[in-house]
């Protein structure tokens, strides 16, 4: 499922939102926002696991990094500490 040949790291939308914040990709993220973003082009494939949705973090991380970079370009409040811009 990943492009680099590594094992998939499947995470729920809630865990995905937690990792986006924990890794400093964005200052805030909720699982509801992740659910909304799945309609955007380029969002990684979603797998239904019981009643939950899951995505491969190895594919999702670059999507969220690009999303955060676009947001930071528009709004200085979305920039992470230490960002030179």
């Amino acid at each position: 499922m990943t492009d680099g040949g590594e094992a998939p790291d499947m995470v729920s939308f809630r865990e995905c939102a937690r990792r986006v914040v924990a890794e400093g990709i964005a200052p805030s993220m909720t699982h509801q926002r992740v659910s909304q973003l799945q309609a955007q082009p380029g969002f990684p494939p979603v797998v239904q696991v019981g009643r939950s949705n899951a995505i491969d973090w190895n594919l999702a991380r670059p999507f969220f990094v690009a999303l955060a970079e676009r947001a930071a370009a528009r709004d200085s409040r979305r920039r992470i500490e230490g960002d030179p811009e």
Side-chain angles (χ1 to χ4, degrees):
M1 190 172 222
T2 62
D3 295 333
E6 52 193 66
D9 182 11
M10 301 304 288
V11 296
S12 67
F13 282 7
R14 189 174 301 274
E15 175 62 12
C16 178
R18 188 197 68 75
R19 288 186 187 192
V20 166
V21 175
E23 293 188 17
I25 297 170
S28 65
M29 181 65 60
T30 65
H31 67 280
Q32 294 97 335
R33 180 67 179 136
V34 175
S35 183
Q36 292 171 347
L37 290 171
Q38 74 178 330
Q40 286 201 357
F43 195 83
V46 177
V47 177
Q48 190 91 26
V49 180
R51 292 182 3 195
S52 298
N53 289 322
I55 54 176
D56 182 354
W57 178 247
N58 299 319
L59 299 176
R61 190 177 192 290
F63 173 84
F64 284 101
V65 168
L67 185 73
E69 288 171 353
R70 288 192 309 268
R74 290 189 312 269
D75 185 354
S76 63
R77 294 172 296 171
R78 303 296 296 179
R79 296 187 187 125
I80 300 298
E81 293 289 323
D83 197 0
E85 292 188 35

